[in-house]
Amino acid sequence: MTVIKTAIGNNFMSITSDYMQQWAQPKFSMAQVSRQGVAMGRSERTITDDVVRIVAFLKDVKFATAAQISAGTGLDFAKFASPMENQHFVNSFVLTDIQDPAELRVPDALKIYTLDFAGVYLLSIEGYDMTTWRWTDLMVSSTVVKKALVQTEVYVEMSKSTVVDIRNYQQFREFRIGASTNDVDFFVSLVSRRNSENVFNYVGFVVEAGNEDLSLRDKLANLEDVFHNTNAGLKYFPNGEASFPRLLLVIEKVSERNLNAIKNVVGQVTTWAGADVAIVGLDDIHAHGMAGASFYSIGVNIAEDGKRIVKLGQINMPLFK
């Protein structure tokens, strides 16, 4: 069984964890692509600026549907998909519960795109640092894929802001402290359109309902060590604590249960609070965009017995207007 586009819509978190990737080009296309040929095509402008825009978008988000590529680039990707795949600028896969190339031909299957070697060569020619790109890093579980697709949704919505521009965006970024590796679902650095000295950094997580007290709790505890309990954060943000990242949490759905669960994990495990925390529902983003979605934060009071009393409240989030 294959994930069907019309059945799932943009409810990517409903994809089950036992699905697998069925690739159009399972071994990618290094042997079929000439870096010299890509360079010549770009020099002669047979490889257009639109192609560059599409592969640059995929570099940032890693995985994207055709609809997301169109939304993120402002181009009708349907006109580019086949030639770009045939020329190995992009590769694609579907998610299925069986390994069978026939699943690629299932009508209306949800096709997910990523970079292939010609796209990587093109970005290198354009001046992007592609030295860490590995095609094997794209062989991941459906759990990683569905989170990445949600992150792509968030990226596209953030890019619509009239207040800030995306200065830097990285999926699954790592922050190290000693020998310990602490990863986040995404990191984004935003810069004010009015004043380039105003920079807003965020580390973000896509939070699956019911699992807030599992891996997220441990990841937040580790990040607390990096940014609040030690000086390790200065290695990543040498301009000082004022540039340390805030926390952006995307929950599946706005509900009393989900908000309380995330409130308690953040408030009991970290010292992030107030303007340094932003919680938003994916369902709210889909309904109203990030510009119209409701954002929440927490406040923490320490009781006489030392217990942390965590409260939740709605906040204004002007950055994404």
Side-chain angles (χ1 to χ4, degrees):
M1 189 173 185
T2 300
V3 176
I4 301 300
K5 182 168 51 178
T6 51
I8 197 170
N10 55 15
N11 186 21
F12 302 120
M13 292 302 287
S14 66
I15 297 172
T16 59
S17 59
D18 57 346
Y19 274 45
M20 301 169 285
Q21 296 167 303
Q22 178 62 58
W23 287 90
Q25 297 284 342
K27 297 183 179 180
F28 285 66
S29 309
M30 182 177 182
Q32 303 175 50
V33 177
S34 162
R35 183 185 179 94
Q36 182 180 2
V38 173
M40 185 175 297
R42 183 57 180 152
S43 176
E44 296 174 349
R45 289 303 185 262
T46 55
I47 298 174
T48 66
D49 291 345
D50 289 344
V51 173
V52 175
R53 190 185 312 176
I54 290 168
V55 294
F57 175 79
L58 284 172
K59 172 190 177 295
D60 280 345
V61 302
K62 189 172 286 189
F63 299 116
T65 66
Q68 289 175 330
I69 296 172
S70 293
T73 62
L75 301 168
D76 182 1
F77 181 64
K79 297 178 180 178
F80 295 86
S82 291
M84 286 188 67
E85 200 161 5
N86 292 337
Q87 297 171 51
H88 310 298
F89 288 99
V90 300
N91 199 348
S92 67
F93 62 90
V94 298
L95 291 172
T96 177
D97 59 356
I98 57 172
Q99 287 288 327
D100 184 351
E103 296 300 306
L104 293 163
R105 299 187 292 276
V106 170
D108 206 35
L110 181 69
K111 206 169 185 181
I112 300 163
Y113 294 87
T114 189
L115 286 178
D116 204 340
F117 276 96
V120 173
Y121 292 158
L122 176 58
L123 289 172
S124 297
I125 292 164
E126 291 294 305
Y128 291 85
D129 181 6
M130 303 301 295
T131 55
T132 61
W133 185 87
R134 301 288 185 274
W135 67 270
T136 50
D137 290 341
L138 302 172
M139 307 293 179
V140 294
S141 69
S142 61
T143 299
V144 174
V145 172
K146 70 181 183 181
K147 277 196 169 188
L149 292 177
V150 171
Q151 292 164 43
T152 301
E153 294 274 287
V154 174
Y155 176 97
V156 170
E157 284 298 321
M158 287 191 294
S159 69
K160 295 177 182 178
S161 172
T162 61
V163 178
V164 293
D165 287 320
I166 297 176
R167 179 169 166 257
N168 181 255
Y169 180 86
Q170 299 173 47
Q171 283 193 354
F172 308 114
R173 177 167 174 177
E174 295 180 346
F175 297 95
R176 293 180 176 271
I177 178 170
S180 175
T181 298
N182 310 294
D183 62 310
V184 300
D185 287 344
F186 62 93
F187 165 80
V188 62
S189 183
L190 307 170
V191 59
S192 169
R193 290 189 171 189
R194 290 188 175 183
N195 184 352
S196 60
E197 294 183 2
N198 293 337
V199 173
F200 310 91
N201 297 321
Y202 284 90
V203 289
F205 293 94
V206 175
V207 185
E208 192 167 4
N211 293 328
E212 299 90 349
D213 60 337
L214 299 177
S215 62
L216 178 64
R217 184 226 170 270
D218 294 336
K219 289 181 178 182
L220 289 177
N222 291 337
L223 287 177
E224 182 72 4
D225 286 339
V226 173
F227 294 112
H228 299 148
N229 295 336
T230 70
N231 292 321
L234 293 172
K235 178 171 64 175
Y236 301 99
F237 302 94
N239 290 332
E241 293 184 8
S243 65
F244 280 9
R246 304 175 185 187
L247 194 60
L248 177 59
L249 299 159
V250 181
I251 60 177
E252 279 191 66
K253 183 178 180 180
V254 176
S255 69
E256 183 177 358
R257 183 261 162 216
N258 292 347
L259 287 171
N260 282 330
I262 199 69
K263 170 198 77 174
N264 289 327
V265 171
V266 176
Q268 298 295 344
V269 174
T270 81
T271 55
W272 270 294
D276 291 334
V277 175
I279 303 166
V280 64
L282 181 60
D283 60 332
D284 209 357
I285 293 174
H286 286 155
H288 304 108
M290 287 190 79
S294 296
F295 286 81
Y296 303 84
S297 187
I298 66 166
V300 179
N301 294 321
I302 307 299
E304 291 183 1
D305 60 2
K307 291 183 178 179
R308 297 172 67 84
I309 309 300
V310 187
K311 296 183 178 181
L312 181 80
Q314 197 166 334
I315 60 171
N316 183 34
M317 181 55 74
L319 293 182
F320 303 124
K321 298 299 184 182

PDB file of all heavy atoms in Angstrom, residues 212-242:
ATOM      1  N   GLU A 212       5.392  13.496  23.858  1.00  0.00           N
ATOM      2  CA  GLU A 212       6.096  14.683  24.347  1.00  0.00           C
ATOM      3  C   GLU A 212       7.081  14.349  25.474  1.00  0.00           C
ATOM      4  O   GLU A 212       8.127  14.987  25.601  1.00  0.00           O
ATOM      5  CB  GLU A 212       5.086  15.720  24.864  1.00  0.00           C
ATOM      6  CG  GLU A 212       4.118  16.210  23.816  1.00  0.00           C
ATOM      7  CD  GLU A 212       2.853  15.373  23.748  1.00  0.00           C
ATOM      8  OE1 GLU A 212       2.809  14.283  24.369  1.00  0.00           O
ATOM      9  OE2 GLU A 212       1.903  15.821  23.096  1.00  0.00           O
ATOM     10  N   ASP A 213       6.750  13.357  26.286  1.00  0.00           N
ATOM     11  CA  ASP A 213       7.578  13.042  27.452  1.00  0.00           C
ATOM     12  C   ASP A 213       8.679  12.038  27.137  1.00  0.00           C
ATOM     13  O   ASP A 213       9.403  11.611  28.037  1.00  0.00           O
ATOM     14  CB  ASP A 213       6.704  12.503  28.580  1.00  0.00           C
ATOM     15  CG  ASP A 213       5.960  11.229  28.193  1.00  0.00           C
ATOM     16  OD1 ASP A 213       5.761  11.010  26.973  1.00  0.00           O
ATOM     17  OD2 ASP A 213       5.575  10.464  29.082  1.00  0.00           O
ATOM     18  N   LEU A 214       8.828  11.687  25.865  1.00  0.00           N
ATOM     19  CA  LEU A 214       9.846  10.704  25.504  1.00  0.00           C
ATOM     20  C   LEU A 214      11.082  11.408  24.944  1.00  0.00           C
ATOM     21  O   LEU A 214      11.813  12.055  25.666  1.00  0.00           O
ATOM     22  CB  LEU A 214       9.257   9.691  24.527  1.00  0.00           C
ATOM     23  CG  LEU A 214       8.063   8.889  25.077  1.00  0.00           C
ATOM     24  CD1 LEU A 214       7.499   7.966  24.008  1.00  0.00           C
ATOM     25  CD2 LEU A 214       8.459   8.111  26.316  1.00  0.00           C
ATOM     26  N   SER A 215      11.328  11.300  23.657  1.00  0.00           N
ATOM     27  CA  SER A 215      12.571  11.841  23.099  1.00  0.00           C
ATOM     28  C   SER A 215      12.650  13.358  23.221  1.00  0.00           C
ATOM     29  O   SER A 215      13.744  13.916  23.400  1.00  0.00           O
ATOM     30  CB  SER A 215      12.721  11.427  21.632  1.00  0.00           C
ATOM     31  OG  SER A 215      11.671  11.954  20.850  1.00  0.00           O
ATOM     32  N   LEU A 216      11.520  14.060  23.121  1.00  0.00           N
ATOM     33  CA  LEU A 216      11.562  15.517  23.215  1.00  0.00           C
ATOM     34  C   LEU A 216      12.073  15.950  24.582  1.00  0.00           C
ATOM     35  O   LEU A 216      12.866  16.892  24.682  1.00  0.00           O
ATOM     36  CB  LEU A 216      10.184  16.120  22.966  1.00  0.00           C
ATOM     37  CG  LEU A 216      10.125  17.646  23.093  1.00  0.00           C
ATOM     38  CD1 LEU A 216      10.992  18.317  22.023  1.00  0.00           C
ATOM     39  CD2 LEU A 216       8.692  18.147  23.003  1.00  0.00           C
ATOM     40  N   ARG A 217      11.646  15.276  25.618  1.00  0.00           N
ATOM     41  CA  ARG A 217      12.106  15.635  26.965  1.00  0.00           C
ATOM     42  C   ARG A 217      13.627  15.538  27.058  1.00  0.00           C
ATOM     43  O   ARG A 217      14.290  16.442  27.573  1.00  0.00           O
ATOM     44  CB  ARG A 217      11.456  14.704  27.992  1.00  0.00           C
ATOM     45  CG  ARG A 217      11.816  15.069  29.429  1.00  0.00           C
ATOM     46  CD  ARG A 217      12.207  13.852  30.237  1.00  0.00           C
ATOM     47  NE  ARG A 217      12.771  14.282  31.506  1.00  0.00           N
ATOM     48  CZ  ARG A 217      14.054  14.522  31.713  1.00  0.00           C
ATOM     49  NH1 ARG A 217      14.931  14.390  30.719  1.00  0.00           N
ATOM     50  NH2 ARG A 217      14.500  14.913  32.888  1.00  0.00           N
ATOM     51  N   ASP A 218      14.190  14.462  26.540  1.00  0.00           N
ATOM     52  CA  ASP A 218      15.642  14.277  26.598  1.00  0.00           C
ATOM     53  C   ASP A 218      16.367  15.314  25.743  1.00  0.00           C
ATOM     54  O   ASP A 218      17.416  15.835  26.142  1.00  0.00           O
ATOM     55  CB  ASP A 218      16.009  12.869  26.143  1.00  0.00           C
ATOM     56  CG  ASP A 218      15.494  11.797  27.092  1.00  0.00           C
ATOM     57  OD1 ASP A 218      15.268  12.109  28.273  1.00  0.00           O
ATOM     58  OD2 ASP A 218      15.296  10.649  26.641  1.00  0.00           O
ATOM     59  N   LYS A 219      15.824  15.604  24.571  1.00  0.00           N
ATOM     60  CA  LYS A 219      16.466  16.576  23.697  1.00  0.00           C
ATOM     61  C   LYS A 219      16.464  17.973  24.310  1.00  0.00           C
ATOM     62  O   LYS A 219      17.453  18.709  24.227  1.00  0.00           O
ATOM     63  CB  LYS A 219      15.782  16.582  22.328  1.00  0.00           C
ATOM     64  CG  LYS A 219      16.071  15.327  21.514  1.00  0.00           C
ATOM     65  CD  LYS A 219      15.406  15.375  20.150  1.00  0.00           C
ATOM     66  CE  LYS A 219      15.757  14.137  19.332  1.00  0.00           C
ATOM     67  NZ  LYS A 219      15.172  14.169  17.979  1.00  0.00           N
ATOM     68  N   LEU A 220      15.353  18.338  24.936  1.00  0.00           N
ATOM     69  CA  LEU A 220      15.289  19.648  25.578  1.00  0.00           C
ATOM     70  C   LEU A 220      16.246  19.726  26.764  1.00  0.00           C
ATOM     71  O   LEU A 220      16.885  20.761  26.993  1.00  0.00           O
ATOM     72  CB  LEU A 220      13.857  19.946  26.028  1.00  0.00           C
ATOM     73  CG  LEU A 220      12.857  20.230  24.911  1.00  0.00           C
ATOM     74  CD1 LEU A 220      11.464  20.443  25.501  1.00  0.00           C
ATOM     75  CD2 LEU A 220      13.263  21.435  24.085  1.00  0.00           C
ATOM     76  N   ALA A 221      16.349  18.638  27.517  1.00  0.00           N
ATOM     77  CA  ALA A 221      17.283  18.615  28.646  1.00  0.00           C
ATOM     78  C   ALA A 221      18.720  18.784  28.167  1.00  0.00           C
ATOM     79  O   ALA A 221      19.518  19.510  28.777  1.00  0.00           O
ATOM     80  CB  ALA A 221      17.128  17.307  29.422  1.00  0.00           C
ATOM     81  N   ASN A 222      19.053  18.138  27.045  1.00  0.00           N
ATOM     82  CA  ASN A 222      20.404  18.268  26.501  1.00  0.00           C
ATOM     83  C   ASN A 222      20.664  19.688  25.990  1.00  0.00           C
ATOM     84  O   ASN A 222      21.756  20.241  26.177  1.00  0.00           O
ATOM     85  CB  ASN A 222      20.598  17.268  25.358  1.00  0.00           C
ATOM     86  CG  ASN A 222      20.634  15.833  25.842  1.00  0.00           C
ATOM     87  OD1 ASN A 222      20.935  15.565  27.006  1.00  0.00           O
ATOM     88  ND2 ASN A 222      20.313  14.904  24.963  1.00  0.00           N
ATOM     89  N   LEU A 223      19.663  20.289  25.344  1.00  0.00           N
ATOM     90  CA  LEU A 223      19.825  21.662  24.865  1.00  0.00           C
ATOM     91  C   LEU A 223      19.944  22.646  26.024  1.00  0.00           C
ATOM     92  O   LEU A 223      20.628  23.663  25.914  1.00  0.00           O
ATOM     93  CB  LEU A 223      18.652  22.057  23.969  1.00  0.00           C
ATOM     94  CG  LEU A 223      18.622  21.442  22.578  1.00  0.00           C
ATOM     95  CD1 LEU A 223      17.370  21.874  21.840  1.00  0.00           C
ATOM     96  CD2 LEU A 223      19.860  21.819  21.770  1.00  0.00           C
ATOM     97  N   GLU A 224      19.279  22.355  27.112  1.00  0.00           N
ATOM     98  CA  GLU A 224      19.408  23.189  28.309  1.00  0.00           C
ATOM     99  C   GLU A 224      20.863  23.211  28.778  1.00  0.00           C
ATOM    100  O   GLU A 224      21.384  24.258  29.184  1.00  0.00           O
ATOM    101  CB  GLU A 224      18.502  22.649  29.417  1.00  0.00           C
ATOM    102  CG  GLU A 224      18.502  23.463  30.698  1.00  0.00           C
ATOM    103  CD  GLU A 224      17.777  24.790  30.587  1.00  0.00           C
ATOM    104  OE1 GLU A 224      17.195  25.083  29.520  1.00  0.00           O
ATOM    105  OE2 GLU A 224      17.808  25.555  31.573  1.00  0.00           O
ATOM    106  N   ASP A 225      21.531  22.070  28.687  1.00  0.00           N
ATOM    107  CA  ASP A 225      22.952  22.016  29.046  1.00  0.00           C
ATOM    108  C   ASP A 225      23.795  22.856  28.094  1.00  0.00           C
ATOM    109  O   ASP A 225      24.724  23.559  28.511  1.00  0.00           O
ATOM    110  CB  ASP A 225      23.457  20.567  29.032  1.00  0.00           C
ATOM    111  CG  ASP A 225      22.957  19.764  30.223  1.00  0.00           C
ATOM    112  OD1 ASP A 225      22.582  20.389  31.235  1.00  0.00           O
ATOM    113  OD2 ASP A 225      22.931  18.522  30.139  1.00  0.00           O
ATOM    114  N   VAL A 226      23.482  22.791  26.801  1.00  0.00           N
ATOM    115  CA  VAL A 226      24.259  23.521  25.808  1.00  0.00           C
ATOM    116  C   VAL A 226      24.121  25.029  26.001  1.00  0.00           C
ATOM    117  O   VAL A 226      25.121  25.766  26.015  1.00  0.00           O
ATOM    118  CB  VAL A 226      23.832  23.136  24.377  1.00  0.00           C
ATOM    119  CG1 VAL A 226      24.538  24.025  23.345  1.00  0.00           C
ATOM    120  CG2 VAL A 226      24.144  21.674  24.092  1.00  0.00           C
ATOM    121  N   PHE A 227      22.897  25.509  26.181  1.00  0.00           N
ATOM    122  CA  PHE A 227      22.651  26.946  26.121  1.00  0.00           C
ATOM    123  C   PHE A 227      22.461  27.633  27.478  1.00  0.00           C
ATOM    124  O   PHE A 227      22.644  28.850  27.563  1.00  0.00           O
ATOM    125  CB  PHE A 227      21.425  27.226  25.243  1.00  0.00           C
ATOM    126  CG  PHE A 227      21.645  26.869  23.806  1.00  0.00           C
ATOM    127  CD1 PHE A 227      20.960  25.822  23.213  1.00  0.00           C
ATOM    128  CD2 PHE A 227      22.572  27.556  23.037  1.00  0.00           C
ATOM    129  CE1 PHE A 227      21.167  25.485  21.889  1.00  0.00           C
ATOM    130  CE2 PHE A 227      22.792  27.238  21.713  1.00  0.00           C
ATOM    131  CZ  PHE A 227      22.090  26.200  21.139  1.00  0.00           C
ATOM    132  N   HIS A 228      22.146  26.892  28.520  1.00  0.00           N
ATOM    133  CA  HIS A 228      21.841  27.557  29.783  1.00  0.00           C
ATOM    134  C   HIS A 228      22.669  27.086  30.971  1.00  0.00           C
ATOM    135  O   HIS A 228      22.833  27.827  31.935  1.00  0.00           O
ATOM    136  CB  HIS A 228      20.346  27.392  30.122  1.00  0.00           C
ATOM    137  CG  HIS A 228      19.445  27.992  29.082  1.00  0.00           C
ATOM    138  ND1 HIS A 228      18.200  27.485  28.771  1.00  0.00           N
ATOM    139  CD2 HIS A 228      19.612  29.056  28.258  1.00  0.00           C
ATOM    140  CE1 HIS A 228      17.631  28.215  27.832  1.00  0.00           C
ATOM    141  NE2 HIS A 228      18.480  29.159  27.490  1.00  0.00           N
ATOM    142  N   ASN A 229      23.180  25.862  30.914  1.00  0.00           N
ATOM    143  CA  ASN A 229      23.930  25.345  32.064  1.00  0.00           C
ATOM    144  C   ASN A 229      25.442  25.385  31.879  1.00  0.00           C
ATOM    145  O   ASN A 229      26.188  25.175  32.844  1.00  0.00           O
ATOM    146  CB  ASN A 229      23.501  23.897  32.364  1.00  0.00           C
ATOM    147  CG  ASN A 229      22.054  23.814  32.804  1.00  0.00           C
ATOM    148  OD1 ASN A 229      21.483  24.792  33.305  1.00  0.00           O
ATOM    149  ND2 ASN A 229      21.433  22.652  32.627  1.00  0.00           N
ATOM    150  N   THR A 230      25.893  25.602  30.649  1.00  0.00           N
ATOM    151  CA  THR A 230      27.329  25.659  30.354  1.00  0.00           C
ATOM    152  C   THR A 230      27.578  26.809  29.381  1.00  0.00           C
ATOM    153  O   THR A 230      26.660  27.511  28.975  1.00  0.00           O
ATOM    154  CB  THR A 230      27.822  24.350  29.712  1.00  0.00           C
ATOM    155  OG1 THR A 230      27.280  24.245  28.381  1.00  0.00           O
ATOM    156  CG2 THR A 230      27.395  23.131  30.530  1.00  0.00           C
ATOM    157  N   ASN A 231      28.836  26.959  29.000  1.00  0.00           N
ATOM    158  CA  ASN A 231      29.200  27.971  28.004  1.00  0.00           C
ATOM    159  C   ASN A 231      29.303  27.389  26.589  1.00  0.00           C
ATOM    160  O   ASN A 231      29.806  28.052  25.680  1.00  0.00           O
ATOM    161  CB  ASN A 231      30.539  28.610  28.373  1.00  0.00           C
ATOM    162  CG  ASN A 231      30.439  29.453  29.628  1.00  0.00           C
ATOM    163  OD1 ASN A 231      29.449  30.138  29.838  1.00  0.00           O
ATOM    164  ND2 ASN A 231      31.467  29.387  30.472  1.00  0.00           N
ATOM    165  N   ALA A 232      28.814  26.156  26.414  1.00  0.00           N
ATOM    166  CA  ALA A 232      28.955  25.486  25.115  1.00  0.00           C
ATOM    167  C   ALA A 232      28.253  26.252  24.002  1.00  0.00           C
ATOM    168  O   ALA A 232      28.684  26.209  22.843  1.00  0.00           O
ATOM    169  CB  ALA A 232      28.403  24.061  25.201  1.00  0.00           C
ATOM    170  N   GLY A 233      27.192  26.957  24.312  1.00  0.00           N
ATOM    171  CA  GLY A 233      26.450  27.678  23.288  1.00  0.00           C
ATOM    172  C   GLY A 233      27.254  28.760  22.608  1.00  0.00           C
ATOM    173  O   GLY A 233      26.972  29.134  21.455  1.00  0.00           O
ATOM    174  N   LEU A 234      28.269  29.285  23.300  1.00  0.00           N
ATOM    175  CA  LEU A 234      29.090  30.352  22.716  1.00  0.00           C
ATOM    176  C   LEU A 234      29.895  29.866  21.520  1.00  0.00           C
ATOM    177  O   LEU A 234      30.310  30.661  20.682  1.00  0.00           O
ATOM    178  CB  LEU A 234      30.015  30.934  23.783  1.00  0.00           C
ATOM    179  CG  LEU A 234      29.326  31.697  24.918  1.00  0.00           C
ATOM    180  CD1 LEU A 234      30.328  32.046  26.016  1.00  0.00           C
ATOM    181  CD2 LEU A 234      28.659  32.959  24.369  1.00  0.00           C
ATOM    182  N   LYS A 235      30.113  28.560  21.440  1.00  0.00           N
ATOM    183  CA  LYS A 235      30.816  27.997  20.280  1.00  0.00           C
ATOM    184  C   LYS A 235      29.998  28.176  19.012  1.00  0.00           C
ATOM    185  O   LYS A 235      30.550  28.349  17.916  1.00  0.00           O
ATOM    186  CB  LYS A 235      31.098  26.514  20.540  1.00  0.00           C
ATOM    187  CG  LYS A 235      31.781  25.804  19.383  1.00  0.00           C
ATOM    188  CD  LYS A 235      32.238  24.402  19.784  1.00  0.00           C
ATOM    189  CE  LYS A 235      31.076  23.505  20.127  1.00  0.00           C
ATOM    190  NZ  LYS A 235      31.499  22.117  20.398  1.00  0.00           N
ATOM    191  N   TYR A 236      28.682  28.159  19.154  1.00  0.00           N
ATOM    192  CA  TYR A 236      27.789  28.280  18.007  1.00  0.00           C
ATOM    193  C   TYR A 236      27.297  29.703  17.800  1.00  0.00           C
ATOM    194  O   TYR A 236      26.999  30.107  16.677  1.00  0.00           O
ATOM    195  CB  TYR A 236      26.590  27.340  18.179  1.00  0.00           C
ATOM    196  CG  TYR A 236      26.989  25.897  18.316  1.00  0.00           C
ATOM    197  CD1 TYR A 236      27.068  25.283  19.561  1.00  0.00           C
ATOM    198  CD2 TYR A 236      27.329  25.145  17.201  1.00  0.00           C
ATOM    199  CE1 TYR A 236      27.453  23.953  19.689  1.00  0.00           C
ATOM    200  CE2 TYR A 236      27.720  23.822  17.313  1.00  0.00           C
ATOM    201  CZ  TYR A 236      27.787  23.232  18.563  1.00  0.00           C
ATOM    202  OH  TYR A 236      28.188  21.927  18.682  1.00  0.00           O
ATOM    203  N   PHE A 237      27.219  30.465  18.888  1.00  0.00           N
ATOM    204  CA  PHE A 237      26.713  31.836  18.825  1.00  0.00           C
ATOM    205  C   PHE A 237      27.684  32.737  19.586  1.00  0.00           C
ATOM    206  O   PHE A 237      27.423  33.139  20.727  1.00  0.00           O
ATOM    207  CB  PHE A 237      25.298  31.916  19.409  1.00  0.00           C
ATOM    208  CG  PHE A 237      24.322  31.016  18.700  1.00  0.00           C
ATOM    209  CD1 PHE A 237      24.069  29.738  19.184  1.00  0.00           C
ATOM    210  CD2 PHE A 237      23.689  31.429  17.543  1.00  0.00           C
ATOM    211  CE1 PHE A 237      23.180  28.903  18.533  1.00  0.00           C
ATOM    212  CE2 PHE A 237      22.803  30.598  16.878  1.00  0.00           C
ATOM    213  CZ  PHE A 237      22.552  29.326  17.374  1.00  0.00           C
ATOM    214  N   PRO A 238      28.835  33.046  18.967  1.00  0.00           N
ATOM    215  CA  PRO A 238      29.912  33.766  19.660  1.00  0.00           C
ATOM    216  C   PRO A 238      29.570  35.209  20.011  1.00  0.00           C
ATOM    217  O   PRO A 238      30.320  35.842  20.753  1.00  0.00           O
ATOM    218  CB  PRO A 238      31.078  33.696  18.664  1.00  0.00           C
ATOM    219  CG  PRO A 238      30.440  33.498  17.338  1.00  0.00           C
ATOM    220  CD  PRO A 238      29.226  32.668  17.597  1.00  0.00           C
ATOM    221  N   ASN A 239      28.456  35.728  19.498  1.00  0.00           N
ATOM    222  CA  ASN A 239      28.073  37.102  19.828  1.00  0.00           C
ATOM    223  C   ASN A 239      27.433  37.227  21.201  1.00  0.00           C
ATOM    224  O   ASN A 239      27.055  38.329  21.606  1.00  0.00           O
ATOM    225  CB  ASN A 239      27.121  37.659  18.758  1.00  0.00           C
ATOM    226  CG  ASN A 239      27.825  37.913  17.443  1.00  0.00           C
ATOM    227  OD1 ASN A 239      29.024  38.187  17.411  1.00  0.00           O
ATOM    228  ND2 ASN A 239      27.098  37.805  16.346  1.00  0.00           N
ATOM    229  N   GLY A 240      27.315  36.115  21.905  1.00  0.00           N
ATOM    230  CA  GLY A 240      26.830  36.185  23.273  1.00  0.00           C
ATOM    231  C   GLY A 240      25.443  35.619  23.456  1.00  0.00           C
ATOM    232  O   GLY A 240      24.754  35.225  22.502  1.00  0.00           O
ATOM    233  N   GLU A 241      25.009  35.587  24.720  1.00  0.00           N
ATOM    234  CA  GLU A 241      23.753  34.940  25.076  1.00  0.00           C
ATOM    235  C   GLU A 241      22.544  35.594  24.414  1.00  0.00           C
ATOM    236  O   GLU A 241      21.523  34.941  24.192  1.00  0.00           O
ATOM    237  CB  GLU A 241      23.585  34.936  26.592  1.00  0.00           C
ATOM    238  CG  GLU A 241      24.601  34.047  27.313  1.00  0.00           C
ATOM    239  CD  GLU A 241      24.357  33.985  28.800  1.00  0.00           C
ATOM    240  OE1 GLU A 241      23.303  34.507  29.254  1.00  0.00           O
ATOM    241  OE2 GLU A 241      25.188  33.426  29.524  1.00  0.00           O
ATOM    242  N   ALA A 242      22.650  36.863  24.104  1.00  0.00           N
ATOM    243  CA  ALA A 242      21.522  37.544  23.458  1.00  0.00           C
ATOM    244  C   ALA A 242      21.197  36.941  22.093  1.00  0.00           C
ATOM    245  O   ALA A 242      20.061  37.065  21.607  1.00  0.00           O
ATOM    246  CB  ALA A 242      21.822  39.030  23.307  1.00  0.00           C
TER     247      ALA A 242
END
